[in-house]
Amino acid sequence: MSKTINFYNVAIFKDNQKTDLEFLRFIDEVAMFPWDHRVRRIGENIAAMFPLHFNDSHREKRIIPFGKFRRNYKPFLGSVGTSDLRAIQNNIDIVELVTMVYDQRYRTAVLDYNMQGLKSKNIEEYFTSFIHRIEGSEWEIKLIPIISRRGQEDIERTMQIRYLEIKLKLDRYNQNIIDQGVRINNPGHQLILDVLDRFGTANTSIDAKNLKLEFNVGQGREATMNLETIKQLINILNLDNDYIDSVKVKYRDTNTRKLDTIDLKDIGKQFKDKILENDDNNNPASEYIGNTVVGLYQGYEGTLSQSYREFIADMVTSDFPRLVSEPREANRIPPERE
């Protein structure tokens, strides 16, 4: 089950000014509050930060599960082996989980997407609700989307490309042609299929909607794919064409010398990626999702380091705000309807 992950920079704002205060400390202090004080009403939602997960190899990161409680959603439970149905008990709530991975080094939050779960705005409001209000001061936690600004010119300059993935959208006609092993009468598709022959080895998969082509190199630190062929392919591809779903490249940035992974279809949009695409776990736990993101983190460092430098440029120094565990009236949980 694949998951989309979105990237943000995070800061504590005072009077609309971005401060240099450590959000990692903020997270750890909130995590120490009692459970009944961490469960809060945020607008129309009831939300809570669940216990943190830690990765011993990455002490600057936190894996943070957020839950939205769906108290008025009580579906039935059943089994394919019987026609019996059971209603969920009134004292049990459905919890929609969203996982955040926070990295203090780049002041970055990665959020996995859950259509029914909390969104970034809800999480901002949740964290802000813990800050003690003082008349004349306004505090906020803000998650600022990281915009993907890297593009083909960065690929042109690189001396190392480690991975290329191309996804094509398929209609029923094109899928049938590919399944039968017949060349497609389309210059874009034809070029990509020809590239398969030039590389010799690749992973190819077809589902109902997509053709995915993956090209990799070995484990050597300096190993690279054929630069001329890859750059030629990227230049010829019409990235604006609707049949191309994504063109993902993992390469070494010539300025930072860090590895970076970009999708050339997402230039100018929020930086994002997909994880767990080949994973059979249909209901992964937050710790599993978080550690997956942590394991892939090195591949995003080029974009994250550039965004970090821009993000901290206008930060101001401030004293850390006082956090309060007792929810304000607006954040107290209303009684459940009978």
Side-chain angles (χ1 to χ4, degrees):
M1 175 182 179
S2 68
K3 279 187 166 291
T4 298
I5 54 175
N6 295 294
F7 292 75
Y8 302 82
N9 284 125
V10 188
I12 303 171
F13 282 71
K14 181 181 182 182
D15 299 328
N16 290 320
Q17 288 189 301
K18 191 190 309 173
T19 75
D20 60 0
L21 297 171
E22 285 196 7
F23 188 57
L24 191 69
R25 171 183 168 185
F26 191 105
I27 293 170
D28 289 344
E29 288 195 18
V30 170
M32 295 298 292
F33 291 151
W35 170 254
D36 57 340
H37 287 180
R38 294 205 311 272
V39 182
R40 303 191 164 207
R41 178 168 61 179
I42 304 298
E44 299 299 317
N45 301 312
I46 297 176
M49 187 177 86
F50 283 72
L52 305 178
H53 300 293
F54 298 87
N55 187 302
D56 291 337
S57 300
H58 300 272
R59 303 301 296 175
E60 77 288 356
K61 295 181 175 65
R62 298 289 184 272
I63 299 171
I64 312 162
F66 289 100
K68 183 176 86 172
F69 293 84
R70 304 179 67 185
R71 302 173 80 183
N72 297 322
Y73 178 61
K74 307 287 184 179
F76 289 92
L77 299 176
S79 171
V80 295
T82 176
S83 62
D84 294 339
L85 293 174
R86 281 190 299 121
I88 290 181
Q89 302 172 26
N90 285 335
N91 64 341
I92 297 177
D93 298 319
I94 300 297
V95 181
E96 299 286 354
L97 284 176
V98 168
T99 303
M100 172 191 280
V101 175
Y102 179 72
D103 173 58
Q104 181 60 32
R105 182 180 180 188
Y106 294 122
R107 296 180 182 261
T108 301
V110 182
L111 283 177
D112 74 319
Y113 177 76
N114 177 348
M115 184 172 65
Q116 301 297 336
L118 296 176
K119 304 302 185 286
S120 60
K121 189 66 177 176
N122 305 133
I123 293 173
E124 289 177 337
E125 294 171 0
Y126 177 81
F127 278 128
T128 299
S129 74
F130 288 91
I131 301 177
H132 177 61
R133 282 183 174 174
I134 301 176
E135 189 173 349
S137 293
E138 182 180 353
W139 291 89
E140 289 180 282
I141 305 300
K142 292 186 180 182
L143 278 67
I144 312 296
I146 294 175
I147 304 302
S148 179
R149 295 189 177 92
R150 300 188 172 220
Q152 289 180 235
E153 64 277 6
D154 298 285
I155 305 300
E156 286 290 340
R157 289 194 297 265
T158 189
M159 298 305 295
Q160 183 183 30
I161 297 176
R162 298 191 58 84
Y163 175 81
L164 172 68
E165 175 195 282
I166 301 173
K167 281 186 181 179
L168 302 178
K169 296 178 182 178
L170 298 179
D171 56 27
R172 184 175 302 174
Y173 172 73
N174 283 347
Q175 182 179 349
N176 289 339
I177 290 176
I178 292 174
D179 288 343
Q180 295 167 14
V182 180
R183 295 292 186 180
I184 299 174
N185 186 23
N186 179 302
H189 289 73
Q190 179 70 54
L191 171 66
I192 292 168
L193 292 173
D194 287 343
V195 168
L196 280 173
D197 296 331
R198 296 177 67 179
F199 276 106
T201 59
N203 296 322
T204 308
S205 62
I206 300 176
D207 60 25
K209 298 179 180 179
N210 295 96
L211 165 67
K212 182 169 73 172
L213 310 174
E214 293 179 282
F215 306 93
N216 289 280
V217 292
Q219 296 300 315
R221 176 178 171 80
E222 302 301 325
T224 184
M225 302 173 69
N226 185 297
L227 295 174
E228 182 180 351
T229 302
I230 293 295
K231 292 175 182 180
Q232 179 187 13
L233 171 62
I234 291 172
N235 282 326
I236 294 175
L237 285 175
N238 179 6
L239 295 173
D240 294 328
N241 196 303
D242 289 340
Y243 77 80
I244 298 180
D245 189 46
S246 65
V247 179
K248 189 185 297 184
V249 186
K250 185 174 183 179
Y251 69 101
R252 191 170 299 279
D253 182 81
T254 54
N255 295 321
T256 65
R257 298 301 301 158
K258 296 180 183 296
L259 289 174
D260 205 4
T261 304
I262 61 171
D263 186 342
L264 294 175
K265 289 283 286 187
D266 284 338
I267 300 169
K269 303 175 184 177
Q270 182 172 12
F271 188 54
K272 64 182 180 181
D273 201 356
K274 284 191 175 181
I275 61 171
L276 307 179
E277 290 189 274
N278 299 313
D279 200 293
D280 294 331
N281 189 347
N282 290 322
N283 190 27
S286 281
E287 186 174 13
Y288 185 77
I289 295 170
N291 281 317
T292 298
V293 173
V294 170
L296 296 172
Y297 216 83
Q298 187 182 22
Y300 309 121
E301 285 192 304
T303 291
L304 299 185
S305 60
Q306 177 183 351
S307 178
Y308 169 75
R309 289 192 299 272
E310 297 171 359
F311 189 68
I312 65 172
D314 57 348
M315 282 184 166
V316 299
T317 300
S318 179
D319 294 328
F320 202 86
R322 182 163 72 91
L323 306 188
V324 291
S325 67
E326 185 68 33
R328 294 191 284 266
E329 182 63 33
N331 302 120
R332 290 178 184 163
I333 303 173
E336 189 169 11
R337 299 184 187 131
E338 297 294 336

